[in-house]
Amino acid sequence: MALNGKIAVVTGAVMGIGKAVTELLLQNGAKVALLDVNRIAGESLMETLKKQYGQERTLLLNCNVESDEQIKAALQKTADTFGGIDILCNNAGIMNESTWERMVSINLMGVIRVTYVALEHMSKLAGGRGGVIVNTASLAGLGPLLNCPVYTATKHGVIGFTRAMADASTASGYGIRVNALCPSFVQTDLFTNVLSILRQSSHLAAATHQMIEKFGVLNVSEVADALLELVTDDTKNGEALIVVPNERNYITFPSILK
Ligand SMILES: NC(=O)c1ccc[n+]([C@@H]2O[C@H](COP(=O)([O-])OP(=O)(O)OC[C@H]3O[C@@H](n4cnc5c(N)ncnc54)[C@H](O)[C@@H]3O)[C@@H](O)[C@H]2O)c1
Ligand SMILES: CCCCC/C=C\C=C\[C@H](O)C/C=C\C/C=C\CCCC(=O)O
């Protein structure tokens, strides 16, 4: 898919990975609706983006992915302003095991909520043009992050949802590819905040630090580049792309029904 003139929605767009993805989509000619709950960081980012990419290519929408009402309003506003939706990046996520129900609601249910509303705009069965959805999962969607069991569960859930939606899209003719991105640790506020808590407490901290040493820490632009591959490569559907420093690999899942 060539990005020039395409219309993208990014959730959790104003910080970290979402911000890098937004900037890369804009650099490649797309228009972007930025959905986020952080109004202050959002407004400050918009000032910069409008100066750099013009007044008409970005839209900041206050949208909590826990609210169906806000999601519906945000996607309708995007479609009315730009003329449809071609790309959805489900990226909003948190890591906080002590408020784990909220984490499930944002990390997993948020992806499901936004996807179902987006289908009404994107699916060829609903009058849309088709397109592509990329869900930011994690390496913790493919293996255990030992002191974050609920975070691990949400990310495994995102990968399962991605694969089932990809197959459903092919079987039903939505015209939408659905893929998951699985980065290892990434240098963002989420990572720094969790690390500072970890340093003070958990007896599992040493094991986690070993994991961080083993995988290394990515910068956000490496992650955004990998996400762009999943958006632009029309052959990718139902894939989980692992991203670690200097390396990307598509997962081969076991096939049970053979
Ligand atoms: N940082 C990492 O090491 C890492 C690694 C793998 C995957 N991820 C995943 O990448 C995604 C982005 O993480 P990040 O590291 O950039 O985090 P971040 O905290 O830097 O940015 C997250 C953004 O999401 C927004 N957000 C949070 N809750 C929201 C909600 N309910 N509705 C809408 N927006 C909301 C925040 O305001 C923020 O702008 C998450 O899904 C995370 O799980 C992160
Ligand atoms: C307690 C967490 C430490 C700080 C991590 C902060 C954020 C990281 C978020 C990522 O989504 C998690 C990234 C990678 C998970 C790493 C390994 C899981 C798989 C291990 C395995 O298969 O052996």
Side-chain angles (χ1 to χ4, degrees):
M1 173 195 276
L3 286 182
N4 204 26
K6 290 287 191 289
I7 297 149
V9 170
V10 181
T11 70
V14 312
M15 303 276 287
I17 295 169
K19 179 179 169 193
V21 166
T22 295
E23 289 176 335
L24 193 57
L25 290 168
L26 287 166
Q27 281 158 24
N28 281 274
K31 297 175 187 171
V32 183
L34 294 80
L35 277 52
D36 208 294
V37 288
N38 188 336
R39 285 173 200 247
I40 295 171
E43 277 158 22
S44 151
L45 176 61
M46 284 297 276
E47 253 184 58
T48 313
L49 295 181
K50 283 194 185 297
K51 272 188 208 140
Q52 204 164 348
Y53 301 102
Q55 293 294 319
E56 309 299 328
R57 290 188 44 209
T58 50
L59 187 60
L60 174 65
L61 297 165
N62 178 54
C63 177
N64 185 337
V65 298
E66 291 191 272
S67 161
D68 258 316
E69 202 182 318
Q70 290 182 18
I71 294 164
K72 281 182 188 153
L75 296 198
Q76 191 59 53
K77 178 75 179 169
T78 304
D80 291 345
T81 307
F82 290 146
I85 299 174
D86 304 295
I87 300 162
L88 167 63
C89 302
N90 276 313
N91 169 76
I94 62 166
M95 183 189 269
N96 189 337
E97 291 287 318
S98 50
T99 57
W100 63 264
E101 282 157 314
R102 180 163 170 260
M103 187 161 62
V104 174
S105 175
I106 294 174
N107 291 13
L108 176 57
M109 293 168 70
V111 170
I112 298 168
R113 282 187 203 101
V114 181
T115 299
Y116 281 163
V117 177
L119 283 186
E120 293 165 24
H121 295 276
M122 296 173 72
S123 170
K124 288 185 174 171
L125 302 182
R129 296 188 286 266
V132 58
I133 297 175
V134 180
N135 299 323
T136 310
S138 163
L139 205 52
L142 295 163
L145 192 52
L146 76 173
N147 44 8
C148 299
V150 179
Y151 183 83
T152 298
T154 64
K155 296 303 184 179
H156 276 66
V158 168
I159 292 177
F161 180 69
T162 301
R163 297 178 66 210
M165 286 303 298
D167 283 359
S169 177
T170 304
S172 314
Y174 300 162
I176 301 172
R177 295 182 291 108
V178 192
N179 293 302
L181 190 65
C182 305
S184 63
F185 304 100
V186 190
Q187 194 59 62
T188 66
D189 285 1
L190 180 149
F191 177 68
T192 315
N193 294 340
V194 177
L195 268 193
S196 63
I197 298 166
L198 198 68
R199 217 162 269 142
Q200 301 153 17
S201 56
S202 166
H203 64 287
L204 300 171
T208 304
H209 283 293
Q210 267 176 13
M211 236 183 223
I212 295 171
E213 255 171 48
K214 177 179 166 197
F215 289 115
V217 181
L218 292 152
N219 60 55
V220 289
S221 66
E222 293 172 272
V223 182
D225 285 343
L227 186 141
L228 201 68
E229 177 175 317
L230 292 172
V231 169
T232 53
D233 186 341
D234 291 322
T235 67
K236 303 300 181 204
N237 187 37
E239 299 282 356
L241 177 58
I242 292 182
V243 192
V244 293
N246 304 314
E247 205 179 319
R248 291 179 202 168
N249 281 303
Y250 287 93
I251 273 282
T252 307
F253 289 100
S255 180
I256 297 158
L257 296 177
K258 269 203 170 160

